[in-house]
Every structure is written in structure tokens, then in C-alpha cells.
Amino acid sequence: MQLYDELVARGLIAQVTDEKEIKELINSGKAVFYIGFDPTADSLHVGHFMALCLMKRLQMGGNKPIALLGGGTGLIGDPTGKTDMRKMLTEEDINHNIECFKKQMSRFIEFGEDKAIMVNNGDWLLDLNYVELLREVGPHFSVNRMLAAECYKQRMERGLSFLEFNYMIMQSYDFLELFQKYGCNMQFGGDDQWSNMLGGTELIRRKLGKDAYAMTINLLLNSEGKKMGKTESGAVWLDAEKTSPYDFYQYWRNVADADVINCIKMLTFLPLEEIAPMEKWEGSELNKAKEILAFELTQLVHGTDEAKKAQEAAKALFAGGANSESMPKTVLSDADFTDSGIDILSILVKAGMTASKSEARRAVEQGGVSVNGEKVTDAKTAYAKETFENEFVIKKGKKSFRKICL
């Protein structure tokens, strides 16, 4: 099976503009493609995971990825999928986040001469003269067509700022720049980016003529990715300091039965022939599939040793009790204690198992919290400092565990 056909078989491709040309380029290893990442946080999260895996998969087939970091577009903010205007970031915040992204991306993609490249659109967008940009780009965009785009329609009722309205133009300009400077002939994105991506193709064709070679490809990385990465306690990050390898493993171990095989197809590098028999698995067999998914992805992000530790800790806990050494830990300091100790609600919040004390209170009162195997039903329960000199394992629900230490 050739690479493009494998992408289709894995359920990655939703829509393309010219399948024959795209198929030929990808299969021959001649695609120079970009995917954009706006640095809105200091870590990538699992919503970016499909894009990173796709870039790795295509690079392994000889194609050249361009990781575009949004040092310029990040200052504006993509309105797509947002109900309100995003918080404005400073240039310092964005530059810090970009450095964090670079380190994480290097685990997936091989950068270097004739391999993958990483660029920052702030290098060209921040130097643009406003009047020159209006004259150069403005005539090629129809406001009527822009307002008809899904990414803008969703925001029209609540209010769309002129700042955000410019996002499509900036993203389109990126494709023009990358096409001219690096020979980039494809852009990849999720289906919610389709209007922005078509804008880039149209800009190239209008600016450089109909013979200019450019195309776009649309993949199910955002529509599927947006289902991923959110828990009741917040996002699932690729940074081990934000989401421990154990919690990362547990996130994938607990995906819905209906999603596990699709996740294995789209996100792991297991051969399709190996995955095919799993599609017939049902009931308890799906738990085995979830363990495979969790191990493969934890290994990809955090390395084999951390994946093994997470797997061993999970098995020990679900088997009823064994070694908790590999379990994620939360360390308490003197500042966490009062004269009466530390209460159960504060522990849950400190451990990141709940986002607030009100959420923690609900979990306790509904019988969903236990310590060392015993249920805690009183939200006022507190523990003295010396309690934590011995093993203290807190559990919320059936799947969330944490070891609390001094």
C-alpha cells in the first residue's frame, strides 16, 4: 500500500482539492507541506497530536514538513471554534511558548538540512506595512465570501472583532510566503480551517497567475483532535511537568470504546495489518486495545522507560493494590498545612484531580473519593502532617489515582 492510500485507510483525510496531484506528490516523496501552530500556551497538547504524528508519518515517506509557528498570527488570534475573543498575548509570552514548542516538536520530527524546517511567521508578518499589505492583498479578498466562511459565521452573532477578521488574510499570506520562499506546495489543516486554507490557494493563484502550482489538503486533525485533550481537570499536555506520563497513559487508557480503534489507526505507527484483527474485538478485548494505544502513545511522547512505568503502575492499581512507586506524585510543603492539617478538598485541588474546591466537594459528597482504599464522605476531613510519612494514595472515581508525599 502506498503512503497516500495508507493515510486514507487510517481515516486521516477528509477532503482535498486535487487528489490526483496530491497523491502523486505524497507517494513520490515530493510534497513540501506546512502545518501551523499558534503558540497560545507553553506546551503542545494532545489536540496537536494528530498533526505531529501526520508530519512524522509523511517525513518517513520522504516528504518535507514545515512547522510554522505563529509568532505573528498568535498576536491576532484565530476566531475559529471560539465563542469569545481570545486573551491577548504579549510578544514575550509568544516567544517563550515558541521555544517550548520547538523542544517538543523535535521529539517527533527530524529537523535539519534537507529534512524538516521550522519557521516563525512573525519574521514576515510583523514587518508588513499596513497600506502596502492592503494594496497587495486586499483586492484579492471578497468580504462577502469571507463572511460566508464557517469560521466567521459562528462568531457573527456574538460579535467578531476587526482584529480577528484579519486572521484569514494573515494565514493566506503565510502560504504565499512559504510558497515563494521554500517551495511549499501543500498546506494541511483541520476541516474548520478549510476556508482559511482555500484563501491561501486563491491568493497564490491571483498573485502569481493560474500557472502557479499550489494546492491545499484538508485532514481530520482538528475535528477529531478537538474531541481529544480535555478532561474535567483541564487539558492533557505533552509536557511531563504539566501532565505526568502516568496521567498521559491513563488518558488514552480511558478513551471511549467507540474511539479506541480509530485512535490506534490515526495516531500509532502500528502496521494496518496488525490493527485489522482488533477491529473485530468487543467487550473486554477492547481494554487490551486501550492498553496498546496508551503504551504506544506514551512511548512516543515520553520514551519507553516512562511508558513501562506508567503501564506497570496502572496494572498494579487496577489489580488491587501493589507497588505505587510509578504512580504520579504530588508533594506537599509546610505551606500547605494549617494547625488542623490539610483537608481533603485542598488535597484534591493540589493534586490536580479537581479544578476547584466546589468540584472536589461534589466528588466527596457523591462518594467518589477514597484514601488508601477507604471512602471519604465528609468534606471537612483533614489530615495531620505525620499522616503523609506513610503511604497515602488518593483515588477519585475509578481511574484517577495520586500518591501524596511530603
Side-chain angles (χ1 to χ4, degrees), residues 188-239:
F188 287 29
D191 54 2
D192 59 351
Q193 294 290 318
W194 190 243
S195 298
N196 293 343
M197 294 161 67
L198 291 178
T201 303
E202 284 300 307
L203 179 61
I204 290 173
R205 287 177 178 162
R206 288 173 180 271
K207 284 283 296 176
L208 305 180
K210 63 181 181 180
D211 294 331
Y213 184 73
M215 61 186 62
T216 60
I217 184 169
N218 185 32
L219 295 140
L220 281 174
L221 47 97
N222 279 352
S223 60
E224 289 296 318
K226 282 181 178 177
K227 297 177 185 176
M228 306 173 188
K230 293 288 184 182
T231 69
E232 60 187 12
S233 299
V236 178
W237 304 99
L238 305 192
D239 184 343

Side-chain angles (χ1 to χ4, degrees), residues 15-280:
Q15 189 174 355
V16 297
T17 50
D18 190 332
E19 185 172 55
K20 181 181 177 183
E21 294 291 345
I22 289 170
K23 187 173 185 176
E24 185 177 326
L25 281 171
I26 287 177
N27 289 342
S28 63
K30 294 178 180 177
V32 181
F33 66 95
Y34 94 88
I35 299 179
F37 300 83
D38 274 348
T40 54
D42 59 0
S43 172
L44 296 162
H45 54 71
V46 301
H48 298 113
F49 204 68
M50 191 178 293
L52 293 169
C53 292
L54 179 66
M55 294 173 86
K56 180 180 177 72
R57 209 181 297 277
L58 286 163
Q59 186 178 46
M60 290 167 65
N63 299 286
K64 185 174 181 178
I66 300 175
L68 178 66
L69 301 179
T73 45
L75 289 168
I76 295 174
D78 184 358
T80 303
K82 309 290 189 301
T83 56
D84 295 296
M85 185 170 166
R86 191 165 61 189
K87 178 186 174 185
M88 298 281 281
L89 297 173
T90 66
E91 285 193 50
E92 291 74 19
D93 290 336
I94 287 174
N95 290 334
H96 170 72
N97 295 347
I98 281 174
E99 291 305 312
C100 296
F101 277 25
K102 285 179 180 178
K103 291 177 185 176
Q104 292 178 337
M105 286 182 178
S106 297
R107 299 181 205 158
F108 293 85
I109 306 158
E110 190 176 358
F111 292 97
E113 191 174 349
D114 296 326
K115 293 176 182 174
I117 61 172
M118 188 178 292
V119 295
N120 180 348
N121 64 15
D123 292 343
W124 54 84
L125 293 180
L126 297 183
D127 291 333
L128 289 173
N129 176 285
Y130 186 60
V131 174
E132 288 180 4
L133 177 68
L134 288 177
R135 288 177 60 85
E136 182 180 1
V137 176
H140 304 300
F141 284 85
S142 160
V143 171
N144 290 348
R145 288 182 61 187
M146 290 174 72
L147 291 176
E150 197 62 35
C151 59
Y152 289 141
K153 280 199 299 186
Q154 294 174 0
R155 285 291 305 279
M156 288 300 289
E157 289 184 11
R158 286 179 173 266
L160 177 71
S161 72
F162 181 70
L163 178 72
E164 295 171 293
F165 185 64
N166 281 271
Y167 193 91
M168 181 187 290
I169 296 173
M170 296 295 95
Q171 183 171 329
S172 300
Y173 194 91
D174 284 343
F175 196 15
L176 175 65
E177 183 76 13
L178 294 172
F179 178 85
Q180 292 179 302
K181 195 168 184 179
Y182 301 104
C184 179
N185 51 31
M186 287 188 205
Q187 56 178 326
F188 287 29
D191 54 2
D192 59 351
Q193 294 290 318
W194 190 243
S195 298
N196 293 343
M197 294 161 67
L198 291 178
T201 303
E202 284 300 307
L203 179 61
I204 290 173
R205 287 177 178 162
R206 288 173 180 271
K207 284 283 296 176
L208 305 180
K210 63 181 181 180
D211 294 331
Y213 184 73
M215 61 186 62
T216 60
I217 184 169
N218 185 32
L219 295 140
L220 281 174
L221 47 97
N222 279 352
S223 60
E224 289 296 318
K226 282 181 178 177
K227 297 177 185 176
M228 306 173 188
K230 293 288 184 182
T231 69
E232 60 187 12
S233 299
V236 178
W237 304 99
L238 305 192
D239 184 343
E241 296 297 316
K242 287 177 169 288
T243 299
S244 71
Y246 174 82
D247 287 334
F248 188 84
Y249 178 96
Q250 284 295 89
Y251 173 77
W252 296 108
R253 172 63 180 79
N254 296 325
V255 299
D257 289 358
D259 295 333
V260 61
I261 301 302
N262 283 339
C263 286
I264 290 174
K265 283 183 181 178
M266 291 188 286
L267 302 176
T268 77
F269 289 81
L270 295 176
L272 286 170
E273 311 85 71
E274 189 175 331
I275 298 171
M278 299 181 196
E279 297 190 63
K280 299 176 183 177

Side-chain angles (χ1 to χ4, degrees), residues 249 252-253 289-301 303-311:
Y249 178 96
W252 296 108
R253 172 63 180 79
K290 292 177 186 181
E291 289 174 1
I292 292 169
L293 172 69
F295 184 84
E296 290 292 326
L297 298 191
T298 306
Q299 180 176 237
L300 187 61
V301 175
T304 303
D305 289 345
E306 291 296 335
K308 286 180 178 177
K309 287 180 186 177
Q311 186 181 58

Side-chain angles (χ1 to χ4, degrees), residues 284-343:
S284 60
E285 285 182 310
L286 287 175
N287 288 329
K288 182 180 176 183
K290 292 177 186 181
E291 289 174 1
I292 292 169
L293 172 69
F295 184 84
E296 290 292 326
L297 298 191
T298 306
Q299 180 176 237
L300 187 61
V301 175
H302 297 294
T304 303
D305 289 345
E306 291 296 335
K308 286 180 178 177
K309 287 180 186 177
Q311 186 181 58
E312 288 166 6
K315 285 183 177 179
L317 288 163
F318 281 107
N323 187 359
S324 63
E325 284 305 307
S326 298
M327 195 186 304
K329 299 177 178 65
T330 294
V331 179
L332 302 179
S333 67
D334 290 341
D336 293 312
F337 291 87
T338 64
D339 292 341
S340 56
I342 182 170
D343 63 85

